[in-house]
Amino acid sequence: MTIDLQPTINLKTAIKQRRAARSFRPDPVPEAILEEIFRLGVRSPSGYNLQPWRFIVVREQGNKDKLKACAFDQRQVSEAPVMVICCGDRRINQADYIESVIQLGIDAGGMTDAYADVMRSAIPQLFENKPSFDSIEAWTNRHTMLAVAHMMIVANSFGVDTCPMEGFSSEQVKEGFNIPCEVDVCCLLAIGYASEPFKQYGGRFGFDRVFYGESFGESFQL
Ligand SMILES: Cc1cc2nc3c(=O)[nH]c(=O)nc-3n(C[C@H](O)[C@H](O)[C@H](O)COP(=O)(O)O)c2cc1C
């Protein structure tokens, strides 16, 4: 039975409160909250709804310790009750996979024969021509990180802390966790309850630095 939990923290507060946690208490994350984090995380959008993300959920201490050794010994990896190895699967352009996405759309009531045909012809072309990315890896990473961002915000809305991590050896993680060669490790995500005050907030650039109006480099005014 699925329990429909409601977050206790509103969206704006969750986004503002989210910080990268570098140390975790051993307290477990309730299963129902973890389920919401994962369920809402994968409501993230993806091109043609291809959902290239794959997540390995690591909770056994021995496996977390093994992962820590692949992550330059960062302490949060063995401390967090839940570690997620967030992967992007490059096999999303295979015909049988495209058919499974089409079937998913049919089952959800949101697929027409015409759109199914568009998918069958346009998706292989997209990955052949790569008009907006250099490699399939860049494409899968783009999407996987969106889902990770969703998970982090959902986690915070339930009072749960996270730490996204790129400090790891991809080769070691792949070998240690049986990850196929067509699957890339995009990041690690620690999930749990922070045990120490966060680092001092590092700030964010103002709009003048990161937003442009109409054309790159042009000033943006609200
Ligand atoms: C993709 C990505 C990779 C990161 N890798 C690490 C990491 O390996 N170890 C770590 O302690 N923090 C890591 N961080 C956290 C950042 O250092 C942190 O988000 C940044 O300093 C801003 O702080 P804040 O998230 O608390 O606002 C990573 C963040 C992102 C988004």
Side-chain angles (χ1 to χ4, degrees):
M1 190 185 73
T2 301
I3 305 165
D4 186 20
L5 280 186
Q6 292 303 320
T8 49
I9 299 171
N10 75 40
L11 181 63
K12 184 173 174 181
T13 307
I15 290 172
K16 289 182 85 172
Q17 278 183 358
R18 186 216 54 78
R19 298 295 315 283
R22 275 27 184 263
S23 179
F24 289 87
R25 303 197 306 261
D27 317 30
V29 179
E31 293 274 313
I33 292 182
L34 200 57
E35 188 175 339
E36 292 288 347
I37 294 169
F38 292 158
R39 192 186 306 286
L40 295 172
V42 296
R43 285 295 289 260
S44 184
S46 58
Y48 288 105
N49 200 26
L50 285 171
Q51 308 167 56
W53 44 72
R54 305 289 179 263
F55 301 101
I56 306 170
V57 182
V58 180
R59 290 183 287 188
E60 288 182 15
Q61 194 59 49
N63 288 329
K64 288 190 290 176
D65 293 343
K66 183 168 81 171
L67 188 58
K68 181 183 180 221
C70 308
F72 309 114
D73 271 332
Q74 296 191 72
R75 64 185 274 196
Q76 60 269 47
V77 180
S78 56
E79 288 182 1
V82 182
M83 281 301 304
V84 186
I85 304 174
C86 307
C87 304
D89 194 329
R90 280 179 265 118
R91 295 169 294 191
I92 34 71
N93 61 352
Q94 293 178 357
D96 59 343
Y97 186 78
I98 295 169
E99 288 306 319
S100 71
V101 177
I102 290 170
Q103 188 58 49
L104 186 68
I106 292 169
D107 295 343
M111 179 64 61
T112 62
D113 288 347
Y115 191 64
D117 283 341
V118 167
M119 288 179 69
R120 288 183 187 107
S121 68
I123 294 170
Q125 280 176 40
L126 172 73
F127 292 106
E128 181 70 27
N129 301 331
K130 302 191 278 291
S132 63
F133 47 92
D134 291 333
S135 65
I136 302 191
E137 184 178 351
W139 188 92
T140 53
N141 187 63
R142 173 189 288 175
H143 292 82
T144 301
M145 294 309 291
L146 268 181
V148 171
H150 271 61
M151 285 186 194
M152 291 193 292
I153 301 305
V154 173
N156 252 91
S157 75
F158 284 99
V160 174
D161 299 300
T162 57
C163 185
M165 302 174 61
E166 62 186 345
F168 60 87
S169 156
S170 182
E171 199 182 320
Q172 288 174 15
V173 175
K174 286 182 78 160
E175 192 183 322
F177 293 85
N178 302 318
I179 299 173
C181 61
E182 305 92 340
V183 176
D184 306 301
V185 184
C186 303
C187 78
L188 307 180
L189 183 67
I191 303 178
Y193 298 95
S195 72
E196 286 178 356
F198 299 119
K199 273 188 179 172
Q200 187 77 15
Y201 175 60
R204 293 295 186 268
F205 288 123
F207 279 18
D208 57 335
R209 188 78 187 264
V210 296
F211 287 90
Y212 301 122
E214 314 306 329
S215 175
F216 195 94
E218 297 295 320
S219 84
F220 169 67
Q221 307 288 345
L222 275 176

